[in-house]
Amino acid sequence: MKIPPFRERTVLVTGASSGIGRAAARAFAAAGANVVLAARRESALQDAAREVEALGVRALPVPCDVTRAEDVERLLRETDAAFGGLDLLVNNAGIGLYGPLEAISEAQLREVFEVNVFALWRVTRAALPLLRRRKGAQVMNVSSVLGHRGLPLLGGYCASKAAVNAMTESLRTELASEGIRVLLVSPGLTESEFREHRRNAEGWAQDAIPLRAMPAEAVAQAMLRAALRGRRDTVLTLPGRAMVLANRFVPGLFDLVARRTANPRKKSS
Ligand SMILES: NC(=O)c1ccc[n+]([C@@H]2O[C@H](COP(=O)([O-])OP(=O)(O)OC[C@H]3O[C@@H](n4cnc5c(N)ncnc54)[C@H](OP(=O)(O)O)[C@@H]3O)[C@@H](O)[C@H]2O)c1
């Protein structure tokens, strides 16, 4: 019988109550991992933990707001007490922000950076002592294709994910000599609760995007493959990859295309 690749390994997923994080928790559990699930909504977290346990592994749901230092400390204390170390940290918790840079509020921009950037840094820092105890430990940061290129009406969110990309690159080289790999996964448009949770500048709401969204399960499978192969950079969806490449090789031309989606007069009613 084939041994599941993550058997007896421990994976911590932030933002495990819905969408990509919840699907990732199931994917790593199906690969044999015990999973620590962190998010704020307790009942959704308990449901996600039951899905993980149904796959025959241990689940540890820890209600946690990643923007609160004391919650994050407790999250890692409970992980340590239950599993004695950590093989993979998946920094997935995140929120979106929509509206022109002129219209988003400072509070909204700070909130998005608190969750997407500061919390990722905080959780990673707190998890390092546990990761250091396991050979071949990994950190996986969930960015976005929008972390590779700023788009109109998404500047606050794009900036937060660009910060994630830069932190990932720095951390990768800081930890390389210790054998801890740092991976970046950049999903494109994905089916999840992201749109419902996104902050919108006052008077702004995004229309439906005319692109096919990737199922969260497919993103989770790509995350599992990235972890198994130690792949440093995974960019998802065809339009997402095309955007990243076009921006790298013909940025001026891409500006012209991007301009067409910026219409500051187009507000929701
Ligand atoms: N959906 C897309 O199209 C897309 C595309 C590219 C990248 N992404 C990225 O993928 C990641 C997951 O998003 P998703 O699409 O799965 O959206 P989602 O369904 O809204 O999931 C976001 C998760 O983050 C958690 N979260 C938010 N704030 C938190 C906080 N302060 N403390 C703890 N947990 C928090 C939420 O849990 P609670 O509300 O229970 O706390 C939820 O579990 C995000 O980093 C997002 O930026 C999404």
Side-chain angles (χ1 to χ4, degrees), residues 136-217:
Q138 295 177 322
V139 176
M140 178 182 288
N141 290 337
V142 176
S143 177
S144 164
V145 294
L146 297 177
H148 300 263
R149 161 76 212 199
L151 285 188
L153 311 181
L154 292 160
Y157 178 69
C158 292
S160 75
K161 291 299 188 179
V164 169
N165 294 4
M167 274 194 187
T168 303
E169 285 174 353
S170 299
L171 195 67
R172 180 180 292 141
T173 44
E174 285 170 6
L175 298 179
S177 64
E178 298 186 62
I180 300 175
R181 292 187 79 110
V182 183
L183 318 175
L184 188 71
V185 175
S186 304
L189 188 65
T190 304
E191 288 166 9
S192 73
E193 297 175 17
F194 190 70
R195 284 171 69 89
E196 292 98 274
H197 296 152
R198 189 183 47 214
R199 309 303 188 245
N200 294 304
E202 205 183 321
W204 288 82
Q206 192 173 25
D207 292 337
I209 301 169
L211 288 174
R212 242 204 23 234
M214 196 167 175
E217 286 70 22

Side-chain angles (χ1 to χ4, degrees), residues 15-21 39-41 64-67 92-95 115 142-144 157 161 187-190 192-194 197:
S17 59
S18 64
I20 294 170
R40 292 164 304 176
R41 285 170 293 162
C64 167
D65 181 339
V66 289
T67 67
N92 164 76
I95 52 170
V115 180
V142 176
S143 177
S144 164
Y157 178 69
K161 291 299 188 179
L189 188 65
T190 304
S192 73
E193 297 175 17
F194 190 70
H197 296 152

